[in-house]
Amino acid sequence: GAGVSQSPSNKVTEKGKDVELRCDPISGHTALYWYRQSLGQGLEFLIYFQGNSAPDKSGLPSDRFSAERTGGSVSTLTIQRTQQEDSAVYLCASSLDPGRDYGYTFGSGTRLTVV
Amino acid sequence: AQTVTQSQPEMSVQEAETVTLSCTYDTSESDYYLFWYKQPPSRQMILVIRQEAYKQQNATENRFSVNFQKAAKSFSLKISDSQLGDAAMYFCAYRSDSGGSNYKLTFGKGTLLTVNP
């Protein structure tokens, strides 16, 4: 696609429920990042995918968070047993080759509200 | 670990005037990149300007320019002739040039810029 697409745009869920957030990167972009933006905070790195390499999960805040990337394209971030502190905007970004190309294209994010 | 600090949570400027947003960072690396991103209400992060640390010359993009002071680890953004469309949250970001970092961006907490007509 022309840009990075994220769905849903907004999600309200009850505490304790599981949620799935989707990111569809730009076609051909091998690198994909997930970030979390909590209220009043900057973006916090969550996870990084690059081609077929093992993902860098060093930013995931707890084992309730997981992500996968199928076929080197679409990625899904899953949050299990959601808590109120999980409320945030979750942003996805893709890059053609972050080592050489300094461009990152961001999606418009998913605003998650846990009630 | 690298950190990025934006000391101004909010700034305001009159239309057509100039405003400077501050950013400092901490790193022990010599090769890195610095960015300013703009986030309007649509939430999409838009690249405003980029600076390579090995370049002494300050980057400029039309009305946007930076003052990069490597020794002081300072990277401020100057917006000239401010326009209503410049109103947004601005984030300063750091990126290592080391592949071991996976080239992830480290962001400051942002500065909310208001442009008054």
Side-chain angles (χ1 to χ4, degrees):
Chain A
V4 176
S5 178
Q6 290 190 247
S7 61
S9 179
N10 295 282
K11 174 74 176 177
V12 179
T13 189
E14 292 181 352
K15 178 181 174 181
K17 300 285 189 182
D18 298 351
V19 295
E20 287 188 350
L21 312 180
R22 176 188 169 103
C23 172
D24 197 346
I26 291 175
S27 178
H29 279 197
T30 60
L32 187 148
Y33 300 81
W34 281 97
Y35 290 88
R36 179 170 71 174
Q37 184 178 13
S38 303
L39 187 64
Q41 302 294 316
L43 279 71
E44 170 193 16
F45 166 76
L46 295 178
I47 189 168
Y48 163 69
F49 295 91
Q50 172 61 280
N52 295 319
S53 301
D56 174 1
K57 304 179 182 180
S58 61
L60 295 179
S62 77
D63 58 9
R64 296 187 294 104
F65 288 72
S66 63
E68 63 177 18
R69 189 178 184 189
T70 53
S73 180
V74 172
S75 178
T76 302
L77 177 68
T78 301
I79 308 173
Q80 296 179 312
R81 304 180 302 281
T82 51
Q83 304 295 311
Q84 288 188 329
E85 60 262 30
D86 299 334
S87 295
V89 174
Y90 291 82
L91 288 160
C92 174
S94 71
S95 177
L96 180 63
D97 182 351
R100 298 182 182 181
D101 166 18
Y102 318 115
Y104 303 82
T105 303
F106 284 81
S108 294
T110 294
R111 181 180 298 280
L112 175 66
T113 303
V114 182
V115 297
Chain B
Q2 295 80 23
T3 59
V4 178
T5 302
Q6 294 179 250
S7 59
Q8 306 154 316
E10 297 185 26
M11 291 283 285
S12 64
V13 62
Q14 291 296 125
E15 196 175 2
E17 296 294 307
T18 296
V19 64
T20 298
L21 308 185
S22 300
C23 173
T24 59
Y25 59 95
D26 188 26
T27 184
S28 59
E29 300 177 326
S30 58
D31 296 324
Y32 51 87
Y33 296 83
L34 297 165
F35 304 82
W36 278 98
Y37 278 90
K38 170 185 177 180
Q39 187 182 43
S42 67
R43 299 197 302 244
Q44 187 175 23
M45 301 286 281
I46 302 167
L47 178 65
V48 175
I49 200 164
R50 178 184 70 229
Q51 175 78 44
E52 292 88 339
Y54 65 86
K55 290 186 176 179
Q56 291 185 340
Q57 186 173 5
N58 290 323
T60 62
E61 287 288 342
N62 300 313
R63 297 182 295 106
F64 299 87
S65 61
V66 298
N67 182 4
F68 173 48
Q69 302 289 329
K70 190 172 184 180
K73 296 180 182 175
S74 171
F75 183 61
S76 61
L77 174 70
K78 185 172 81 171
I79 306 174
S80 303
D81 185 25
S82 297
Q83 301 176 359
L84 295 177
D86 295 334
M89 183 72 84
Y90 286 81
F91 291 95
C92 178
Y94 171 101
R95 197 209 86 167
S96 170
D97 201 26
S98 163
S101 73
N102 287 326
Y103 306 114
K104 58 180 176 283
L105 295 168
T106 300
F107 289 87
K109 292 187 177 182
T111 297
L112 180 62
L113 178 65
T114 302
V115 181
N116 300 310

